[in-house]
Amino acid sequence: MRISAIQLIGQFPVRQSVPKYGRGAQNTDSFDVDTFVSFGVQRVYPKEAPAMVCLEKVKSRGGIVPKRVEDLVREYAKDEALKDLTLTEVHKIAYADLKKCKTLTEAKKLFPEFECVKHLDELSAKEGSVIYGLQIGNVEVKPCGEETDDEALKLLQYIWSELYSSSNTAIFTRNKSENFYTTWSMQGPITRLKIPLLNYEYAQSLRFESRPRQRS
């Protein structure tokens, strides 16, 4: 069985065919998954704008901001030392503790908005599929937080803590027999696990700000 992986090269996505469990995908340990920014988005969401400015713009365009992020933005707006943080920075603060979780159950207790996310063993999967590989331990997702064997939790962390794009969910993954990580598209497993994605308009505002800020 062959599955499709997305390899990011520069700013252009290249779809390649790879063998069972994604063997043959690009061998790399670093890439920017959020490199796609349209000029229109740049005009709507000015770079390094304070979080409150972007929050109001997102809502004026019909976007939905996570409640815990909105609450934090409004709290920080009253603090001289924090009011200039970007929406991206506030989001990462709001979901910082997600990366400290070691199980999906623990994450659900801390973040009730993820109650709908399924555990990996709740899914049915065909032999040879990526989900099957994750279930039997032949495929593992590279941790982006605390060391954990909970693959569903890792995917949740990539989307909500690391702000990986919902449309280009190329995540560091490896086959158990290999000693390096490759980039695979995890969009299928993320959908099956019912991991909620960021609202599109909200994600656009974050994506433009995702580059490191220059601070004085």
Side-chain angles (χ1 to χ4, degrees), residues 180-200:
F180 59 85
Y181 287 94
T182 56
T183 57
W184 300 1
S185 172
M186 288 285 112
Q187 196 160 14
I190 286 170
T191 299
R192 293 279 314 277
L193 289 164
K194 297 189 180 302
I195 293 175
L197 301 178
L198 302 177
N199 170 263
Y200 177 79

Side-chain angles (χ1 to χ4, degrees), residues 29-186:
D29 276 335
S30 65
F31 70 98
D32 181 6
V33 76
D34 290 324
T35 56
F36 304 94
V37 183
S38 70
F39 290 112
V41 174
Q42 291 182 38
R43 287 194 296 268
V44 172
Y45 299 106
K47 189 175 182 179
E48 297 189 9
M52 182 60 79
V53 172
C54 282
L55 171 70
E56 292 175 346
K57 178 63 70 173
V58 169
K59 298 190 78 171
S60 72
R61 292 170 61 84
I64 300 173
V65 179
K67 185 179 185 304
R68 69 174 63 242
V69 175
E70 182 171 352
D71 290 346
L72 210 52
V73 168
R74 297 191 183 283
E75 177 185 334
Y76 286 178
K78 302 172 185 177
D79 189 321
E80 284 295 320
L82 301 172
K83 69 178 184 180
D84 289 330
L85 291 177
T86 67
L87 192 54
T88 299
E89 290 171 321
V90 177
H91 178 101
K92 289 193 172 185
I93 292 170
Y95 287 96
D97 285 346
L98 181 59
K99 293 176 69 173
K100 298 177 183 178
C101 296
K102 293 187 177 181
T103 66
L104 181 58
T105 299
E106 181 184 355
K108 287 183 176 184
K109 289 180 180 178
L110 282 176
F111 300 91
E113 59 265 45
F114 300 138
E115 183 58 37
C116 64
V117 179
K118 291 183 174 293
H119 291 267
L120 198 58
D121 59 10
E122 294 183 71
L123 304 182
S124 59
K126 294 182 179 180
E127 184 175 353
S129 68
V130 176
I131 291 176
Y132 181 78
L134 290 168
Q135 288 175 332
I136 66 175
N138 278 358
V139 176
E140 66 172 347
V141 176
K142 184 177 183 178
C144 63
E146 290 289 329
E147 197 68 33
T148 175
D149 294 326
D150 194 321
E151 307 301 327
L153 172 62
K154 294 177 193 176
L155 293 175
L156 180 65
Q157 291 169 332
Y158 270 105
I159 297 296
W160 284 86
S161 295
E162 293 296 301
L163 295 176
Y164 268 56
S165 166
S166 60
S167 59
N168 292 301
T169 47
I171 290 173
F172 296 123
T173 316
R174 73 178 174 188
N175 193 295
K176 189 175 182 180
S177 63
E178 299 168 344
N179 61 2
F180 59 85
Y181 287 94
T182 56
T183 57
W184 300 1
S185 172
M186 288 285 112

Side-chain angles (χ1 to χ4, degrees), residues 1-5 16-24 127-130:
M1 178 178 179
R2 300 173 75 83
I3 56 177
S4 187
Q16 65 181 46
S17 181
V18 299
K20 182 177 178 180
Y21 295 138
R23 289 173 180 263
E127 184 175 353
S129 68
V130 176

